[in-house]
Amino acid sequence: MEKTLVIVESPAKAKTIGKFLGRNYQVKASLGHIRDLPKSQFGVDVEDNFKVKYITIRGKGEILQELRNAANKANKVLLAPDPDREGEAIAWHLLKSLKIDENEKCRIEFNEITKDAIKDAIRHPRKIDIPRVESQQARRVLDRLVGYNLSPLLWRKVKKGLSAGRVQSVAVRLICEREEEIKEFIPEEYWSLLAKLTLPSKKIIEAKLIKKDDKKIEIKNKEQMDQILKDLKGKKFLVNQVKKQKKHRNPAAPFTTSSLQQEAYRKLNFTAKKTMRIAQQLYEGIDIGNEGTVGLVTYIRTDSTRISEVAQEEARKYVLGKFGKNYLPEKPRIFKNKGNTQNAHEAIRPTSIIREPDGLKSFLTRDQYKLYKLIWERFLASQMAQATLEQTTVLIGADNYQFSASGSVIVFKGFMEVYIEGKDEEEELEGPLALVNEGQDLSLAKLEPKQHFTQPPARYTEATLVKTLEEKGIGRPSTYAPTIDTILSRGYVVRENKQFFPTELGFVVIELLKEYFPDIVDVEFTASMENKLDEIEEGNIYWKNVLKEFYTGFEKELRHADQEIGKIEVQEEVSDEACEKCGRNFVVKFGRYGKFLACPGFPECRNTKPLLEEVGVNCPKCKEGQIVIRRSKKGRTFYGCDGYPECDFVSWEKPLNEQCPQCNSFLLEKNTRKGKRKVCSNKDCHYEVKANKGE
């Protein structure tokens, strides 16, 4: 009886697929790549037309021998790594290592790990897609040309342990330039005026001053505001116009890798790395009881929003049965892809909409459940009818001044019955505006003038950095999480309060690269290189021509930089605190989880200690100590007393020097999706207000 060997990347995937296939199939895992460029050598002969040297990866010898033995006993070998460039390259390396003919139809692909998808893939094997392999090879060699030439230069000129790369260096540049914008930003004063007006029903509405003499008004200082308040004294407030307008809102597209990372960060507080780790588990398969082990979501590295007709039809039947005809759009939704997407892929979706999150909750970890629920709801909502909102705008006159109040109510929820995108959650509701009529007199309860200052651009968070990299065409879906991990581990940036701050080292390296290697940190150049990699995959250009074009200029820059750059000293911040072991003053260092104190006498003295940053709040427990920022072993920020261990006060939220007006307990500052809030530390008291109320 014929035996078929199927080779996948991971043991988890092998276990899941093995259960779908009969006794005539053997499923084994390669554990990723079998061959790669050598770590201890350059591995690319630029003089011999970029000839590449591949070796068996250290530690993979036994696995390769096991695969060879299994292949020799099998009548047929099918290579089934992931359906992308990286997966195609893994399949090609396996083909070479197992001495399979290049013309053999041995490559199978599937977008989801379900019984039907696997069996269908086995019925339709194909040859290895060589242009796709060459595209991945070009990326790998480009990264080697940059990394193995630039990193040693940085070691010699700056310090050991540094690295540079096409994507990571651009990411650090973006963070550094944002920090420069913030430093150079000059705030400008402006004012706003809010009128609190009482309806006959005694309900209060709030209206904002928008015009004077039918022209948009800008209030730049207190003098102008005082004049406006003087003008409005004793004036009547009359409703001039009430406009009601129906608006429709369409659902967001199902997830791509990038949008999943952004939304999981916004809604679940997951890092990109954590999101991809959990998504991989859901993709490779979970034991869900009677059904056995099955992949719960489709392939997770994709930039496509395409949905298969089968999945759309299943979703439409589910919507019709669960919510009714009104919730179903007339035609299945088609979402447009951005730029160059690998449209052979689908968006990230559940492999079956019938598998409801709550029905699987007992089989999933807490984090798996949260992420699966997010993917399931986003996909279902994407196939539902649009929401209808009625927006009300009320224009109110007071002499020659005009105020405006607006809000909206949901007339028909549509897709919002299931899911609302993170950025849309601040839906303003109409409330008492529904009671306002044209020609109505309103009595003034209070005028609230507020002083404001323009704000600098916000620092990048994981979500906004991923979004920016995607919009600028830097990297690809699979590169975002490792890129963020690298720039943190190298000490180029630190993450504090979810925001990225560049370190002095980050600034020094980026300035050096900008001066001597402008292309490496140029956003447009890096994006154009990604487009060339796409062109290689399409078979439009030859991969080695791209390498030659790049390396010709890069080699000249390397020689020039090596001659011109002297030794660069990165100035470290010296603290007032002395090392207990040797007496030297500690210096401030940047680690994976932020700043810490280290003795400058390293390696003779290896003393380190946490950098306790005071937040200007007295300890609410001992009353004598100061609250300082601390970090857990996993890098999470929390707050504690600097008198530890004598005082053991700790809190995940920042304590405030304020007491609750209801129960006299101390208040905490809490970050929510609605912004910063002041909440009572007493769990039995539910006092909560906006943190910036009255500012």
Side-chain angles (χ1 to χ4, degrees):
M1 191 169 286
E2 288 197 354
K3 274 275 186 184
T4 300
L5 172 65
V6 180
I7 303 176
V8 295
E9 287 164 284
S10 75
K13 198 189 292 187
K15 183 180 176 184
T16 305
I17 293 171
K19 291 182 178 180
F20 296 147
L21 303 174
R23 288 178 296 175
N24 298 335
Y25 291 86
Q26 184 180 22
V27 186
K28 287 193 168 288
S30 69
L31 284 100
H33 277 280
I34 286 288
R35 300 195 310 173
D36 197 5
L37 298 169
K39 282 189 176 181
S40 56
Q41 301 169 33
F42 190 36
V44 181
D45 190 344
V46 293
E47 302 297 328
D48 189 9
N49 197 24
F50 299 94
K51 186 177 180 182
V52 182
K53 177 185 178 183
Y54 289 114
I55 62 167
T56 302
I57 296 169
R58 181 176 291 180
K60 291 290 187 79
E62 286 186 21
I63 295 168
L64 180 56
Q65 190 55 53
E66 189 181 325
L67 293 176
R68 280 175 176 156
N69 293 340
N72 290 334
K73 293 175 185 175
N75 302 95
K76 191 174 185 180
V77 178
L78 295 175
L79 307 174
D82 287 342
D84 56 13
R85 289 177 192 163
E86 196 75 23
E88 202 70 18
I90 292 172
W92 180 75
H93 284 298
L94 284 167
L95 176 134
K96 292 291 184 184
S97 300
L98 301 177
K99 295 181 170 56
I100 301 171
D101 190 325
E102 277 201 15
N103 292 314
E104 183 77 24
K105 289 186 176 180
C106 61
R107 173 74 165 121
I108 61 170
E109 272 187 318
F110 37 83
N111 195 54
E112 58 189 66
I113 302 178
T114 57
K115 191 171 185 178
D116 289 344
I118 301 302
K119 293 203 166 182
D120 184 63
I122 285 173
R123 286 194 294 269
H124 300 95
R126 60 166 173 81
K127 296 178 187 177
I128 296 286
D129 186 338
I130 297 301
R132 194 189 276 192
V133 174
E134 289 176 344
S135 178
Q136 191 276 339
Q137 278 196 102
R139 178 188 291 278
R140 189 76 184 91
V141 174
L142 275 170
D143 290 341
R144 178 60 62 105
L145 292 174
V146 174
Y148 272 54
N149 282 297
L150 266 189
S151 297
L153 180 73
L154 294 176
W155 298 349
R156 294 194 299 274
K157 306 297 184 180
V158 186
K159 63 177 275 191
K160 285 189 175 181
L162 301 183
S163 68
R166 294 180 311 109
V167 177
Q168 62 160 293
S169 298
V170 174
V172 177
R173 177 179 183 168
L174 290 172
I175 294 167
C176 287
E177 288 182 345
R178 178 59 57 86
E179 195 67 25
E180 290 291 351
E181 285 181 68
I182 293 168
K183 283 179 183 175
E184 292 170 7
F185 184 81
I186 300 171
E188 292 183 9
E189 181 184 9
Y190 71 99
W191 289 69
S192 65
L193 181 61
L194 199 69
K196 292 197 170 183
L197 303 162
T198 308
L199 299 171
S201 63
K202 304 302 180 188
K203 296 273 187 181
I204 298 276
I205 65 168
E206 295 182 346
K208 188 177 180 181
L209 178 61
I210 57 167
K211 287 182 180 181
K212 180 184 179 183
D213 297 324
D214 287 330
K215 291 180 182 177
K216 185 180 176 183
I217 191 166
E218 290 183 5
I219 312 167
K220 295 184 177 179
N221 51 52
K222 189 176 186 298
E223 289 73 25
Q224 289 180 0
M225 177 56 75
D226 288 342
Q227 183 60 50
I228 292 167
L229 294 174
K230 187 178 177 183
D231 293 346
L232 288 170
K233 195 169 184 180
K235 295 293 187 291
K236 285 188 175 181
F237 285 77
L238 180 70
V239 178
N240 293 331
Q241 189 180 42
V242 177
K243 288 195 293 186
K244 291 187 183 287
Q245 187 180 11
K246 289 276 179 71
K247 288 199 170 183
H248 300 292
R249 180 178 295 175
N250 288 316
F255 284 128
T256 61
T257 304
S258 167
S259 59
L260 175 63
Q261 289 175 2
Q262 292 172 55
E263 193 75 339
Y265 177 84
R266 282 195 295 256
K267 285 198 166 188
L268 308 179
N269 201 25
F270 286 3
T271 63
K273 185 178 180 181
K274 181 176 181 177
T275 297
M276 296 310 290
R277 186 182 75 246
I278 297 166
Q280 185 74 23
Q281 294 164 4
L282 296 173
Y283 166 65
E284 290 187 343
I286 305 286
D287 189 339
I288 55 171
N290 293 336
E291 276 195 80
T293 303
V294 64
L296 295 180
V297 301
T298 55
Y299 188 53
I300 57 166
R301 292 177 182 85
T302 175
D303 49 9
S304 172
T305 55
R306 187 181 69 83
I307 294 296
S308 72
E309 289 181 10
V310 173
Q312 279 188 325
E313 190 54 38
E314 186 187 49
R316 287 176 69 81
K317 284 181 181 175
Y318 182 90
V319 171
L320 188 62
K322 186 87 173 179
F323 299 99
K325 192 176 179 181
N326 290 344
Y327 286 83
L328 198 63
E330 286 184 19
K331 296 178 182 177
R333 291 190 183 280
I334 307 293
F335 295 92
K336 287 184 179 179
N337 288 318
K338 297 177 183 175
N340 294 319
T341 60
Q342 297 187 49
N343 207 38
H345 297 169
E346 281 192 63
I348 302 169
R349 61 168 176 83
T351 51
S352 173
I353 200 68
I354 306 303
R355 297 191 188 102
E356 297 176 341
D358 287 347
L360 301 179
K361 196 170 184 179
S362 61
F363 303 108
L364 304 175
T365 66
R366 186 177 65 174
D367 287 341
Q368 286 172 345
Y369 168 74
K370 285 180 179 178
L371 194 64
Y372 179 70
K373 187 171 186 282
L374 191 70
I375 294 168
W376 187 91
E377 288 178 346
R378 172 84 162 219
F379 169 65
L380 182 62
S382 77
Q383 304 304 304
M384 293 176 70
Q386 60 188 8
T388 304
L389 295 88
E390 184 176 77
Q391 186 171 28
T392 301
T393 304
V394 179
L395 299 178
I396 300 160
D399 197 28
N400 57 337
Y401 290 96
Q402 189 178 79
F403 290 76
S404 173
S406 63
S408 58
V409 289
I410 299 169
V411 177
F412 174 65
K413 276 192 169 183
F415 74 90
M416 293 172 76
E417 195 79 57
V418 172
Y419 179 88
I420 303 174
E421 199 174 3
K423 63 185 179 183
D424 291 332
E425 286 191 335
E426 298 302 310
E427 187 63 46
E428 187 183 353
L429 296 178
E430 185 179 308
L433 287 184
L435 306 173
V436 179
N437 299 308
E438 285 186 15
Q440 200 170 34
D441 280 326
L442 304 175
S443 57
L444 178 65
K446 188 180 182 183
L447 284 174
E448 286 188 353
K450 289 185 181 180
Q451 182 187 37
H452 308 273
F453 291 93
T454 53
Q455 296 297 309
R459 290 181 176 90
Y460 287 107
T461 63
E462 275 211 9
T464 56
L465 183 61
V466 165
K467 185 179 181 183
T468 303
L469 290 171
E470 183 190 33
E471 286 175 347
K472 292 183 180 295
I474 308 300
R476 282 295 178 259
S478 59
T479 64
Y480 300 137
T483 294
I484 290 168
D485 211 35
T486 300
I487 64 177
L488 284 166
S489 63
R490 294 289 186 265
Y492 295 143
V493 302
V494 293
R495 182 167 41 203
E496 293 182 8
N497 296 324
K498 298 185 179 181
Q499 297 175 318
F500 288 121
F501 291 77
T503 64
E504 184 63 30
L505 178 63
F507 275 119
V508 166
V509 170
I510 289 303
E511 286 305 311
L512 186 148
L513 294 177
K514 279 164 71 174
E515 183 174 352
Y516 293 97
F517 302 93
D519 285 347
I520 297 299
V521 287
D522 182 72
V523 171
E524 289 183 9
F525 176 83
T526 308
S528 71
M529 191 59 73
E530 291 293 346
N531 291 332
K532 285 179 182 176
L533 294 173
D534 293 335
E535 289 284 296
I536 294 169
E537 182 174 353
E538 295 297 321
N540 296 331
I541 51 178
Y542 184 50
W543 68 292
K544 290 191 176 180
N545 291 346
V546 173
L547 297 177
K548 186 176 181 180
E549 182 186 349
F550 167 77
Y551 194 70
T552 302
F554 180 62
E555 189 181 27
K556 291 176 185 174
E557 291 173 341
L558 271 172
R559 285 198 299 267
H560 175 68
D562 209 12
Q563 292 167 3
E564 293 292 319
I565 304 171
K567 182 68 178 172
I568 299 171
E569 291 293 332
V570 180
Q571 295 297 318
E572 291 175 322
E573 183 185 343
V574 181
S575 82
D576 296 330
E577 195 170 343
C579 174
E580 310 88 358
K581 295 184 178 179
C582 70
R584 298 178 179 94
N585 274 32
F586 280 115
V587 293
V588 178
K589 295 273 189 181
F590 292 91
R592 190 179 184 87
Y593 302 121
K595 298 176 184 177
F596 67 96
L597 295 177
C599 181
F602 182 88
E604 294 84 20
C605 181
R606 297 172 177 266
N607 192 19
T608 62
K609 62 193 302 185
L611 175 64
L612 301 179
E613 298 176 64
E614 293 185 359
V615 297
V617 175
N618 297 324
C619 176
K621 186 172 183 180
C622 71
K623 311 296 183 188
E624 295 177 2
Q626 283 287 311
I627 294 299
V628 294
I629 299 173
R630 296 183 183 273
R631 283 179 177 81
S632 69
K633 288 181 180 179
K634 292 187 177 180
R636 187 177 171 190
T637 298
F638 69 96
Y639 300 87
C641 180
D642 66 356
Y644 180 84
E646 286 76 20
C647 177
D648 61 358
F649 174 82
V650 290
S651 170
W652 288 117
E653 273 80 41
K654 178 182 172 183
L656 299 171
N657 279 331
E658 295 181 46
Q659 289 181 309
C660 174
Q662 293 181 5
C663 72
N664 237 21
S665 300
F666 66 93
L667 295 180
L668 299 165
E669 184 179 270
K670 189 172 184 179
N671 286 312
T672 70
R673 293 194 191 103
K674 296 179 181 178
K676 289 184 179 179
R677 313 282 289 180
K678 291 179 183 178
V679 299
C680 184
S681 58
N682 179 2
K683 291 180 181 178
D684 296 326
C685 176
H686 302 291
Y687 177 77
E688 181 178 327
V689 292
K690 285 183 181 178
N692 62 350
K693 191 174 181 182
E695 289 181 9

